[in-house]
Amino acid sequence: MNQKRTTTTTITMSTLKTLIFTTTLLILTLSSVALSRPEAIDSLLKRLDSKRASSSDQESAAKGVLKRLLPSHIHSFLFKIVSKDVCGGHSCFLINNYYKESSGNGPEISIKGTTAVEIASGLHWYLKYWCGAHVSWDKTGGVQIASIPKPGSLPHVKDKGVMIQRPVPWNYYQNVVTSSYSYVWWNWERWEKELDWMALQGINLPLAFTGQEAIWQKVFMNLNITKEDLNDFFGGPAFLAWARMGNLHGWGGPLSQNWLDQQLCLQKQILSRMLELGMTPVLPSFSGNVPAALKKIFPSANITRLGDWNTVDKNPRWCCTYLLNPSDPLFVEIGEAFIRQQVKEYGDVTDIYNCDTFNENSPPTNDPAYISSLGAAVYKAMSRGDKDAVWLMQGWLFYSDSAFWKPPQMQALLHSVPFGKMIVLDLFAEAKPIWKNSSQFYGTPYVWCLLHNFGGNIEMYGILDAISSGPVDARISENSTMVGVGMCMEGIEHNPVVYELMSEMAFRSGKPQVLEWLKTYSRRRYGKAVHQVVAAWDILYRTVYNCTDGIADHNTDFIVKFPDWDPSLNSGSNISQQDNMRILLTSSGTRRFLFQEKSSDFPEAHLWYSTQEVIHALWLFLDAGNDLAGSLTYRYDLVDLTRQVLSKLANQVYRDAMIAFRRKDARALNLHGQKFLQIIKDIDVLLASDDNFLLGTWLESAKKLAVDPNDMKLYEWNARTQVTMWYDTTKTNQSQLHDYANKFWSGLLEDYYLPRASTYFGHLMKSLEENKNFKLTEWRKEWIAFSNKWQADTKIYPVKAKGDALAIAKALYRKYFG
């Protein structure tokens, strides 16, 4: 979610030594023995297989997943690790009937797999397609297991059994900012649930970024950087992702030693479970982001100060971080130290490391030889710490900065390491695939990824057809270098249909028929087939989940991203740049490039479907309510769909209010303004009826991690700030990133979004009544002061739902749609 910064670096005689150094690295790299592509990947897979836990440990880990998911059936399944030879040399799972010599409570179904992840995936596949069960995140309704027969009555598979092979080796998971938008306040209990979910979905290549600040503390203090220097370097808990990427420093901090120690301990638990399940964790590596103090300690080092990233007024207290050029020998020294410190803390757990040095930081020259030397230096830093290191890199820079990354430059970077030593993430492949226009990344292995979500926003959205066909088309294309599929959303716990389908593509060699798949999905999700719901999902497939307009979905509905502008006639130029942006598919998700696309001088909220059709889908959902009473998955979807419909209605009501203001029609402005405010209140009541849409859950999870009052105050401020103003303000200017991480949560609507809209409409009314210009600056002052106070507040919000969701949704449908 970054806007582009530019930096300039001059190559002079003073850099000659480092150029010679990196050229030497390039020669060493290119002279290494290069394997062919299949051989390189096979060699990597064999090496990673050798790092896995023992078969007995993995079988025990898979049993643990079963016990937590379905404790009543702990004796109904027999799990066994098998070699890839059983699966034709691939990763796979096998499901067979287990024939007992005598009756009793022994196993009924045998599930074998090449790792514990494959066993868990086989279990999930069986429960879905033979028992009609469903597994999603707790915050999206949780599991539906009532349809599973009792022990002793499990359905048989066909006599020969079922074998499902992975068509590609890897199923990657996470975005570098998911750790901040979703995981930041998690304890081990929540992480254990996520790791179970990951195993059931077949994820075997997850990012593992937790706790890295404790590693950096040790590395930098060995270079004589003090704790006080690091207080200015690290971001606060909710903003660590952007401090890690060098977008900001100090914002939301300082981090306490309690936090650093706690997160390092948590990371060790996470990695231990990943290994037990047979996953390959992806650890961070050094990208060049360094504390300001390093420049004083190493004055001759090639350190560049970067430009501003989204501060209101280029405030150096937060902006303009420092980047150590990969061409400097110190880069390799620090990179090696970081890898070795991780190995010391965690053991030899992986060979795959993430690094994105060149996102938003183009090399100082487009000379391919120089770019190759930089790439070689980045890889050298990894390989000095781990001789078998593989560089995992986001490939979005090749599109977002395509003016720089022409084919010669792309090839220079991608070929700066031997084949098999770099894997590229095609980050937004469901909407803007890079593989199609880059000769499959010029022979470099890549992972086809779903991005889908920005900022952890809550909005029903997706492109199901692209998910069902894109990975298959990429894999079977001529000279394909695809080696995996992945999910790279910025935030999780929304749109479960999207992530279930994407997870299945890790095991599907062909394209599923989405409409047929949705029929089985709805039956599994709610535990029974209800014809109204089947019809509703048919509509949702054609509308909400069929976004083909070329605009990436970042929730810009006016309730949660309220426009900061003067709607007076001929004042369209006063619309805040951030508030009239539509995010085109030239954005990286984690590092994003926004372009203004003004269809009129009114702010535009994203709408890609017929609202009338989706209102009809809601009516069908409501009509099924009596058949699905008590279903938590149904309740979640009903609340989410009702919220979606009302939010889109509010966009039109807001527009009507602005038209009334321009016509100087105070009565109509008051009418539409009051209706907009009432919709906010009504949605808040609706959201309060489901445990999964509550602000209190987010805030309380933050406070529970604190060990003293100072930490508690800091954590709550971080939690409140991230989902509202996000970044710095002045008295008259909102944060450039305000509402980036907006949420439809009960409590947030009533106490934050409602007062914002109310004060704004109040100022509009006052300008009409007094026949004076609308005083935008005065409203901003009032609103920013209110927001600052709310961010620092400690009001306690509910963590338990209240009210009957179905009754509330029906009442709201009657109220607004008759």
Side-chain angles (χ1 to χ4, degrees):
M1 57 163 273
N2 304 11
Q3 289 184 294
K4 186 169 183 180
R5 301 171 299 194
T6 57
T7 60
T8 55
T9 305
T10 303
I11 304 174
T12 65
M13 291 299 292
S14 64
T15 61
L16 184 59
K17 288 183 179 180
T18 54
L19 281 171
I20 293 172
F21 169 77
T22 49
T23 303
T24 303
L25 288 182
L26 174 63
I27 294 170
L28 289 172
T29 300
L30 294 179
S31 64
S32 61
V33 179
L35 299 173
S36 69
R37 187 166 61 249
E39 289 175 332
I41 295 300
D42 287 345
S43 176
L44 172 60
L45 289 170
K46 288 178 182 177
R47 194 165 65 249
L48 294 173
D49 285 345
S50 70
K51 296 179 184 289
R52 301 198 197 285
S54 67
S55 295
S56 60
D57 285 348
Q58 290 191 63
E59 289 164 2
S60 295
K63 206 75 170 179
V65 174
L66 171 61
K67 186 176 182 179
R68 289 183 290 275
L69 175 67
L70 203 60
S72 58
H73 289 66
I74 190 66
H75 300 297
S76 300
F77 295 90
L78 180 70
F79 293 160
K80 185 174 178 58
I81 296 289
V82 295
S83 74
K84 288 182 179 178
D85 294 339
V86 177
C87 307
H90 299 279
S91 296
C92 81
F93 59 78
L94 303 98
I95 308 172
N96 293 95
N97 303 317
Y98 185 84
Y99 296 102
K100 298 173 287 188
E101 295 181 1
S102 59
S103 60
N105 295 325
E108 302 169 70
I109 298 294
S110 164
I111 301 179
K112 300 174 184 177
T114 45
T115 71
V117 168
E118 270 70 33
I119 291 176
S121 301
L123 171 67
H124 190 200
W125 202 271
Y126 174 79
L127 295 177
K128 284 202 292 188
Y129 289 109
W130 277 267
C131 302
H134 171 77
V135 176
S136 69
W137 290 296
D138 284 354
K139 285 202 71 173
T140 56
V143 300
Q144 185 289 110
I145 55 177
S147 62
I148 300 175
K150 294 179 180 179
S153 305
L154 290 180
H156 283 183
V157 299
K158 59 187 179 183
D159 288 342
K160 293 183 179 180
V162 176
M163 181 175 75
I164 304 288
Q165 294 178 328
R166 288 187 187 269
V168 283
W170 286 301
N171 188 3
Y172 175 81
Y173 185 56
Q174 296 178 38
N175 187 299
V176 293
V177 302
T178 318
S179 57
S180 290
Y181 282 134
S182 295
Y183 308 151
V184 54
W185 310 122
W186 285 7
N187 56 18
W188 170 243
E189 181 183 3
R190 178 60 187 88
W191 261 110
E192 185 173 53
K193 288 185 178 181
E194 186 71 4
L195 290 161
D196 285 353
W197 181 89
M198 290 160 58
L200 292 164
Q201 308 300 331
I203 291 157
N204 61 3
L205 191 65
L207 211 56
F209 268 30
T210 301
Q212 62 178 280
E213 282 68 31
I215 305 293
W216 280 121
Q217 182 187 55
K218 295 174 182 180
V219 170
F220 283 130
M221 288 182 72
N222 284 336
L223 295 171
N224 296 320
I225 301 289
T226 67
K227 287 187 177 181
E228 289 70 28
D229 294 329
L230 292 176
N231 284 343
D232 183 58
F233 178 62
F234 296 140
F239 303 97
L240 286 175
W242 300 275
R244 292 166 180 170
M245 292 188 287
N247 302 136
L248 53 81
H249 64 95
W251 179 252
L255 293 179
S256 68
Q257 194 63 45
N258 291 328
W259 172 272
L260 296 172
D261 296 342
Q262 182 187 61
Q263 292 295 298
L264 182 61
C265 179
L266 182 60
Q267 169 76 335
K268 291 178 179 179
Q269 290 178 288
I270 293 166
L271 288 173
S272 177
R273 182 59 55 82
M274 285 179 174
L275 295 173
E276 290 169 2
L277 288 166
M279 298 175 182
T280 298
V282 178
L283 291 177
S285 63
F286 181 49
S287 64
N289 182 31
V290 294
L294 195 74
K295 194 169 179 66
K296 297 177 183 177
I297 298 171
F298 297 94
S300 63
N302 188 354
I303 297 174
T304 304
R305 188 156 199 186
L306 299 177
D308 178 48
W309 182 86
N310 285 317
T311 62
V312 173
D313 55 2
K314 297 180 172 58
N315 188 341
R317 186 178 177 188
W318 319 120
C319 87
C320 312
T321 57
Y322 291 87
L323 185 76
L324 176 62
N325 195 295
S327 65
D328 195 295
L330 185 59
F331 187 100
V332 173
E333 182 183 334
I334 294 174
E336 177 185 355
F338 182 66
I339 298 289
R340 290 191 182 280
Q341 188 64 43
Q342 289 187 107
V343 173
K344 182 179 178 181
E345 294 284 347
Y346 311 141
D348 183 13
V349 299
T350 189
D351 289 329
I352 303 184
Y353 301 91
N354 169 256
C355 183
D356 294 304
T357 294
F358 303 111
N359 265 5
E360 292 190 35
N361 182 42
S362 299
T365 171
N366 63 3
D367 176 32
Y370 183 75
I371 292 170
S372 289
S373 71
L374 293 183
V378 172
Y379 178 69
K380 187 68 174 179
M382 294 182 197
S383 61
R384 284 270 289 269
D386 178 349
K387 64 180 178 60
D388 296 317
V390 174
W391 179 0
L392 183 80
M393 181 183 73
Q394 293 182 166
W396 192 258
L397 70 165
F398 301 132
Y399 183 83
S400 62
D401 197 9
S402 58
F404 179 90
W405 293 102
K406 301 295 185 184
Q409 289 75 32
M410 287 182 65
Q411 291 185 64
L413 178 58
L414 294 171
H415 293 174
S416 65
V417 301
F419 278 123
K421 297 297 184 180
M422 178 183 282
I423 300 170
V424 182
L425 301 178
D426 198 350
L427 202 72
F428 209 167
E430 84 273 22
K432 208 69 183 179
I434 308 300
W435 67 268
K436 289 184 177 180
N437 302 312
S438 64
S439 300
Q440 307 263 349
F441 293 98
Y442 300 101
T444 303
Y446 76 94
V447 176
W448 192 103
C449 294
L450 168 82
L451 179 52
H452 184 256
N453 176 267
F454 299 102
N457 295 162
I458 296 172
E459 174 152 53
M460 295 177 71
Y461 157 84
I463 318 173
L464 295 184
D465 283 343
I467 294 170
S468 66
S469 62
V472 178
D473 290 338
R475 180 175 52 79
I476 66 175
S477 63
E478 187 177 3
N479 299 319
S480 176
T481 58
M482 177 179 161
V483 293
V485 295
M487 297 185 286
C488 298
M489 61 283 119
E490 287 194 353
I492 64 168
E493 300 177 321
H494 52 80
N495 291 287
V497 65
V498 170
Y499 296 96
E500 178 152 341
L501 180 59
M502 187 63 227
S503 295
E504 285 198 10
M505 298 311 296
F507 293 100
R508 287 189 177 273
S509 56
K511 302 176 184 180
Q513 296 298 312
V514 180
L515 261 181
E516 290 302 311
W517 183 88
L518 281 171
K519 288 179 182 178
T520 64
Y521 170 83
S522 64
R523 184 174 68 245
R524 290 186 284 103
R525 181 154 170 81
Y526 311 124
K528 62 173 74 171
V530 180
H531 70 89
Q532 297 100 318
V533 169
V534 172
W537 272 105
D538 181 81
I539 294 171
L540 295 177
Y541 164 59
R542 292 184 281 104
T543 54
V544 170
Y545 291 108
N546 185 36
C547 183
T548 58
D549 63 7
I551 299 174
D553 189 62
H554 186 186
N555 196 330
T556 53
D557 286 352
F558 298 143
I559 288 176
V560 292
K561 189 170 176 61
F562 198 75
D564 179 0
W565 74 309
D566 180 352
S568 305
L569 288 171
N570 303 317
S571 65
S573 61
N574 291 329
I575 302 174
S576 164
Q577 185 182 16
Q578 289 292 323
D579 285 306
N580 198 36
M581 284 179 174
R582 305 184 74 184
I583 303 161
L584 305 182
L585 298 184
T586 48
S587 72
S588 70
T590 61
R591 301 198 165 195
R592 304 175 58 194
F593 300 84
L594 310 184
F595 295 84
Q596 194 169 1
E597 181 193 56
K598 293 171 64 174
S599 58
S600 73
D601 62 349
F602 270 39
E604 300 262 352
H606 188 200
L607 183 63
W608 62 97
Y609 58 83
S610 162
T611 55
Q612 287 302 312
E613 285 192 73
V614 177
I615 290 169
H616 182 58
L618 173 58
W619 181 85
L620 290 167
F621 251 88
L622 291 167
D623 196 40
N626 291 336
D627 290 323
L628 296 173
S631 167
L632 297 181
T633 46
Y634 167 77
R635 186 179 74 180
Y636 173 87
D637 289 349
L638 174 65
V639 170
D640 201 23
L641 181 55
T642 308
R643 173 211 56 75
Q644 179 100 356
V645 166
L646 291 176
S647 182
K648 301 305 178 188
L649 173 63
N651 291 342
Q652 183 57 49
V653 173
Y654 172 87
R655 191 177 180 89
D656 292 341
M658 297 304 103
I659 293 171
F661 175 79
R662 286 193 170 182
R663 292 174 178 170
K664 300 186 183 301
D665 186 341
R667 181 177 178 276
L669 171 61
N670 183 60
L671 179 70
H672 296 307
Q674 290 303 314
K675 185 175 182 180
F676 187 87
L677 300 179
Q678 188 59 51
I679 293 174
I680 297 177
K681 294 176 184 177
D682 286 340
I683 295 178
D684 193 272
V685 171
L686 170 74
L687 298 175
S689 68
D690 189 287
D691 292 327
N692 304 303
F693 296 94
L694 303 179
L695 171 64
T697 306
W698 172 253
L699 298 182
E700 293 305 311
S701 63
K703 291 189 285 185
K704 283 181 180 178
L705 286 188
V707 297
D708 60 46
N710 288 333
D711 277 357
M712 183 176 292
K713 183 178 180 181
L714 181 72
Y715 296 177
E716 182 167 7
W717 183 90
N718 270 255
R720 286 169 174 258
T721 298
Q722 189 205 83
V723 299
T724 54
M725 201 60 82
W726 208 107
Y727 208 9
D728 68 329
T729 63
T730 63
K731 289 184 178 180
T732 58
N733 286 287
Q734 294 195 70
S735 161
Q736 299 237 32
L737 296 173
H738 72 87
D739 301 313
Y740 183 95
N742 64 67
K743 301 291 189 293
F744 272 98
W745 285 340
S746 177
L748 194 57
L749 272 75
E750 180 77 25
D751 283 2
Y752 192 83
Y753 299 142
L754 179 63
R756 176 171 62 182
S758 180
T759 56
Y760 185 83
F761 286 124
H763 279 265
L764 289 180
M765 284 295 298
K766 185 177 180 180
S767 74
L768 292 188
E769 290 167 354
E770 297 179 355
N771 196 26
K772 294 181 179 179
N773 291 334
F774 172 61
K775 297 179 180 178
L776 177 62
T777 301
E778 292 303 310
W779 172 73
R780 285 175 175 168
K781 284 182 181 178
E782 182 179 347
W783 168 242
I784 292 168
F786 178 96
S787 181
N788 288 338
K789 183 179 179 181
W790 188 90
Q791 290 164 244
D793 199 3
T794 57
K795 176 181 175 179
I796 296 174
Y797 288 88
V799 294
K800 293 293 182 183
K802 63 178 181 180
D804 183 330
L806 179 58
I808 293 168
K810 284 183 175 179
L812 292 177
Y813 185 90
R814 288 193 298 268
K815 179 176 181 177
Y816 290 105
F817 309 110

